[in-house]
């Protein structure tokens, strides 16, 4: 984390924003350099359920969607993370509030979501995903199984990693049968 930077995590629910912040806190705890910056040993810096402050004055906040993203209006943000964009009630007002907050700092915006279709809720996300002005990275369920399987194999051994992959693939086949191909593709591919 760079000195004096602000990162904001927005999701359609506070619980989801806090879950992402929890992953970040875990990463900070595991990284000796970032842990030293956390200030937790001297208790001079604040960590709450929805906030992290480091000794270099970098801050990370997690917020729910709110009404028209009022939590970020007028703020300067260096990194914005918007999770499950397609689930927001008004995706365009959220990104419309975050982009100006990133402008002054020349910040970066990460938008993450499952698809939720081309029309109605999710239509904005569909347009973003198909817009050449954005860089796109797609990780579907099969990619995630491969990544997680390698991780588990490294930690618990090759057999465990293989068993993990097999169980996950069986689960996906069951989901495909129960949801139908359209919903399956929307949720997992």
């Amino acid at each position: 984390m760079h000195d004096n930077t602000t990162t904001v995590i927005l999701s359609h629910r506070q619980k989801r924003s806090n879950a992402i912040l929890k992953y970040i806190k875990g990463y900070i705890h595991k990284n000796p350099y970032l842990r030293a910056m956390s200030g937790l040993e001297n208790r001079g810096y604040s960590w709450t359920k929805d906030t992290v402050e480091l000794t270099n004055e970098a801050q990370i906040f997690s917020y729910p969607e709110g009404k028209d993203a009022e939590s970020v209006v007028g703020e300067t943000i260096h990194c914005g993370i918007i999770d499950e964009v397609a689930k927001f009630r008004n995706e365009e007002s959220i990104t419309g509030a975050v982009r100006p907050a990133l402008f002054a700092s020349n910040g970066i915006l990460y938008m993450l979501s499952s698809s939720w279709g081309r029309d109605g809720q999710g239509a904005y996300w569909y347009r973003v995903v198909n817009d050449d002005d954005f860089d796109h990275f797609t990780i579907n369920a099969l990619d995630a199984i491969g990544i997680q399987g390698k991780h588990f194999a490294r930690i618990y051994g090759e057999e465990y990693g293989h068993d993990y992959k097999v169980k996950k693939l069986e689960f996906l086949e069951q989901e495909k049968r129960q949801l139908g191909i359209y919903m399956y593709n929307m949720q997992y591919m």
Side-chain angles (χ1 to χ4, degrees), residues 80-161:
I81 302 169
I82 305 177
D83 183 51
E84 288 296 353
V85 175
K87 290 185 179 181
F88 280 74
R89 289 185 298 268
N90 187 347
E91 309 104 321
E92 291 182 79
S93 72
I94 300 298
T95 58
V98 172
R99 286 193 315 260
L102 292 162
F103 177 75
S105 69
N106 198 27
I108 189 164
L109 175 62
Y110 296 98
M111 294 190 293
L112 317 160
S113 194
S114 49
S115 65
W116 285 90
R118 298 178 188 186
D119 301 316
Q121 186 176 10
Y124 173 76
W125 178 246
Y126 181 80
R127 289 193 309 273
V128 167
V129 168
N130 290 288
D131 187 335
D132 290 336
D133 288 340
F134 290 90
D135 291 328
H136 303 97
F137 303 94
T138 302
I139 299 174
N140 63 35
L142 298 175
D143 296 331
I145 289 171
I147 293 166
Q148 291 171 339
K150 288 178 188 174
H151 174 72
F152 287 127
R154 189 175 62 245
I155 294 173
Y156 303 111
E158 284 298 322
E159 186 175 318
Y160 185 88

Side-chain angles (χ1 to χ4, degrees), residues 36-63:
M37 290 174 52
S38 72
L40 292 176
E41 281 79 21
N42 65 17
R43 300 178 191 268
Y45 288 84
S46 169
W47 280 33
T48 66
K49 188 167 72 171
D50 55 8
T51 304
V52 169
E53 293 180 43
L54 301 178
T55 58
N56 68 347
E57 298 186 21
Q59 300 174 318
I60 307 170
F61 300 101
S62 68
Y63 296 121

